[in-house]
């Protein structure tokens, strides 16, 4: 049995390696804020931060060991197309998800998924062209469209008793001769939906019918809490030829400070268009980032399983707390990710909910409006935290809202 201690991101965490995996053990809730962490620095010392998608858990020891080992080797220019071992490991992981037939030529290592979104909008559409996407959505989807003159067309998700669903009729109504791209988040951020095969098949039919390119952000594919992740490009050979999949390790392995990602397509011409559009500004693969990703894929499985177990427990604790203490807050427990999309619109002060919780409850969450039209009164909560942090934050939120509600 081995034990590690971490004091990063605010609360001491202990991680014990036992037979069959790792156990995360929260210790004394002593706030230890690091200048390295934007999550814990942005709002100041009195605020509990549950906002940006950055986990508070210690990084897997196998990854830290690989980074130390890499420092003993060459730190000059790495292979232009990336470490061949890493490319093969990424291909193998996609095969495990059910997407076969990939080759190294189908992969382009990039500096992250967000740069990939920008590269896709620049390379696969022109100024004035339209890009369709579901909302609410991870904000860089919208900035990637608008920052360079493309036009966003919004497809609001529908709240049903079973959770969030795609409004296919409204999606169909958005199509004009200027439509070029469908941006898909699979699994979905911020609602945590894991799209089913019938849903993805219907989206594929829609995209093929209107000759749209599909850019599928699958960054959270290895953080599925229930259900099965299905790569969009695996739906059919026809759709794979019109799809670029974006992925990376930073959410799965809690390594956002080591930027790296991959754009994958079985139609290399799409990747070439993205490369041309970002020539000279897209960073080449980073040696340390590649070592991290490879170690995570090859040796990080037990650590990831322990994280998933902790996330499921936190997700369920959040659901139980809200049902008991704040039934006015509408919440569908996510099927993937460690993000909760909370609906505060039942409160008369919902439009100011982010400011109220920040200033009065002293809890920092993500405000809704940057996630797209119709997101006023919503907040995104990151529950990838020590249980004492989550519990304290929720209690402060509940106390504040109860004090303001007759």
């Amino acid at each position: 049995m081995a034990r590690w201690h971490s004091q990063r991101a605010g609360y001491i965490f202990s991680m014990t390696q036992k037979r069959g995996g790792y156990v995360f053990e929260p210790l004394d809730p002593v706030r230890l804020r690091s200048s390295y962490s934007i999550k814990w620095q942005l709002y100041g010392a009195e605020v509990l931060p549950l906002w940006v998608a950055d986990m508070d858990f210690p990084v897997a020891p196998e990854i830290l060991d690989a980074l130390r080992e890499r420092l003993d080797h060459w730190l000059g220019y790495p292979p232009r197309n990336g470490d061949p071992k890493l490319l093969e490991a990424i291909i193998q992981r996609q095969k495990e998800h059910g997407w076969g037939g990939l080759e190294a030529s189908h992969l382009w290592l990039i500096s992250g998924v967000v740069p990939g979104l920008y590269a896709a909008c620049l390379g696969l559409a022109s100024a004035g062209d339209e890009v369709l996407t579901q909302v609410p959505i991870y904000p860089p989807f919208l900035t990637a469209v608008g920052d360079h003159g493309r036009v966003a067309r919004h497809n609001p998700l529908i709240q049903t008793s079973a959770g969030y669903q795609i409004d296919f009729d409204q999606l169909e109504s958005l199509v004009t001769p200027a439509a070029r791209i469908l941006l898909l988040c699979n699994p979905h951020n911020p609602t945590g939906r894991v799209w089913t095969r019938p849903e993805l098949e219907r989206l594929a039919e829609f995209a093929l019918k209107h000759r749209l390119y599909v850019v599928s952000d699958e960054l959270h594919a290895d953080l599925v809490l229930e259900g099965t992740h299905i790569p969009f490009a695996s739906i059919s050979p026809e759709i794979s030829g019109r799809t670029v999949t974006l992925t990376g390790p930073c959410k799965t392995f809690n390594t956002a400070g080591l930027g790296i990602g991959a754009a994958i397509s079985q139609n290399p011409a799409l990747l070439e268009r993205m490369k041309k559009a970002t020539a000279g500004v897209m960073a080449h693969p980073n040696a340390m980032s590649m070592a991290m990703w490879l170690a995570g894929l090859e040796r990080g499985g037990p650590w990831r399983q322990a994280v998933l177990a902790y996330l499921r427990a936190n997700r369920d604790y959040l659901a139980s707390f809200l049902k008991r203490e704040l039934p006015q807050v509408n919440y569908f427990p996510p099927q993937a990710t460690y993000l909760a999309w909370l609906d505060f619109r039942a409160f008369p002060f919902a439009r100011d909910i982010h400011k109220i919780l920040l200033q009065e409850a002293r809890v920092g969450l993500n405000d809704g409006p940057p996630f797209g039209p119709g997101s006023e009164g919503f907040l995104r909560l990151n529950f990838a935290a020590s249980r004492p942090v989550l519990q304290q934050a929720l209690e402060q939120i509940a106390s504040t809202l109860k004090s303001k509600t007759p």
Side-chain angles (χ1 to χ4, degrees):
M1 181 174 69
R3 183 182 294 272
W4 295 266
H5 295 278
S6 173
Q7 295 183 352
R8 71 180 293 274
Y11 274 66
I12 299 175
F13 243 92
S14 173
M15 182 169 64
T16 304
Q17 185 180 23
K18 296 181 178 179
R19 182 176 298 175
Y22 293 92
V23 176
F24 296 98
E25 301 165 344
L27 301 177
D28 296 334
V30 178
R31 213 158 304 158
L32 299 171
R33 296 173 184 272
S34 168
S35 61
Y36 298 120
S37 171
I38 187 175
K39 177 180 179 181
W40 282 84
Q41 286 293 314
L42 181 66
Y43 290 124
E46 299 302 318
V47 174
L48 290 176
L50 300 178
W51 62 288
V52 68
D54 193 0
M55 295 192 282
D56 288 346
F57 310 136
V59 173
E62 293 86 352
I63 288 177
L64 298 180
D65 289 343
L67 291 172
R68 295 185 188 101
E69 292 168 6
R70 187 64 182 80
L71 288 174
D72 292 331
H73 297 285
W74 183 254
L75 287 178
Y77 290 114
R80 184 178 299 275
N81 296 324
D83 181 349
K85 291 182 179 179
L86 173 59
L87 299 179
E88 184 54 40
I90 296 171
I91 290 170
Q92 178 59 33
R93 190 71 186 105
Q94 294 301 325
K95 187 176 181 180
E96 292 167 1
H97 282 308
W99 183 14
L102 290 174
E103 302 174 359
S105 62
H106 298 148
L107 277 67
W108 175 35
L109 292 187
I110 55 179
S111 53
V113 163
V114 171
L117 291 170
Y118 275 80
C121 289
L122 286 168
L124 305 181
S126 301
D129 285 345
E130 295 176 350
V131 180
L132 285 57
T133 191
Q134 281 74 42
V135 289
I137 196 64
Y138 178 50
F141 273 58
L142 303 178
T143 58
V145 175
D147 280 352
H148 293 286
R150 282 66 177 161
V151 179
R153 304 277 282 167
H154 306 115
N155 175 222
L157 296 176
I158 304 170
Q159 284 194 40
T160 73
S161 59
Y164 287 92
Q165 305 289 334
I166 297 172
D167 187 340
F168 283 97
D169 292 335
Q170 195 272 350
L171 180 63
E172 187 71 36
S173 74
L174 295 178
V175 179
T176 74
R180 295 291 180 270
I181 300 173
L182 171 65
L183 291 183
L184 174 67
C185 200
N186 174 40
H188 188 261
N189 174 5
T191 69
R193 269 302 314 275
V194 173
W195 305 118
T196 64
R197 183 171 295 277
E199 288 171 315
L200 295 176
E201 288 175 345
R202 190 168 178 183
L203 281 175
E205 292 174 2
F206 167 80
L208 291 172
K209 173 183 175 182
H210 296 290
R211 298 188 57 77
L212 299 176
Y213 297 117
V214 180
V215 179
S216 184
D217 171 358
E218 304 191 1
L219 188 59
H220 291 90
D222 285 330
L223 291 173
V224 172
L225 306 176
E226 61 182 73
T228 302
H229 170 69
I230 301 172
F232 183 75
S234 71
I235 293 299
S236 71
E238 292 77 17
I239 201 62
S240 70
R242 301 194 67 83
T243 299
V244 174
T245 300
L246 302 175
T247 188
C250 69
K251 302 309 175 191
T252 302
F253 297 113
N254 199 30
T255 54
L258 289 172
I260 191 171
I264 310 174
S265 181
Q266 287 175 293
N267 181 354
L270 301 184
L271 300 181
E272 290 302 318
R273 290 175 61 174
M274 293 167 61
K275 291 177 183 179
K276 184 176 180 180
T278 56
V281 297
M282 182 69 78
H284 59 71
N286 177 284
M288 299 301 288
S289 298
M290 287 191 288
M292 170 272 296
W293 196 354
L294 179 60
L297 291 172
E298 290 187 339
R299 294 180 270 164
W303 179 91
R304 183 175 67 89
Q305 291 304 317
V307 167
L308 288 173
Y310 202 101
L311 293 178
R312 289 188 189 97
N314 272 3
R315 176 197 63 174
D316 297 343
Y317 174 81
L318 172 60
S320 176
F321 184 96
L322 292 176
K323 182 178 181 181
R324 181 179 69 252
E325 301 292 339
L326 291 171
Q328 308 97 316
V329 178
N330 195 17
Y331 163 61
F332 297 103
Q335 299 166 315
T337 81
Y338 44 80
L339 306 167
W341 187 239
L342 306 180
D343 181 356
F344 290 86
R345 291 178 299 172
F347 294 95
F349 43 81
R351 285 187 174 270
D352 298 316
I353 191 65
H354 180 265
K355 180 179 179 181
I356 289 169
L357 295 189
L358 183 60
Q359 295 183 350
E360 299 183 31
R362 308 305 286 163
V363 177
L365 307 180
N366 285 104
D367 202 4
F371 291 81
S375 297
E376 296 81 4
F378 287 81
L379 297 175
R380 192 186 74 171
L381 180 149
N382 173 356
F383 56 81
S386 168
R387 178 63 63 81
V389 176
L390 179 61
Q391 181 177 347
Q392 183 178 343
L394 292 176
E395 288 173 353
Q396 290 173 197
I397 290 171
S399 176
T400 297
L401 294 184
K402 288 177 180 179
S403 72
K404 300 178 73 67
T405 306

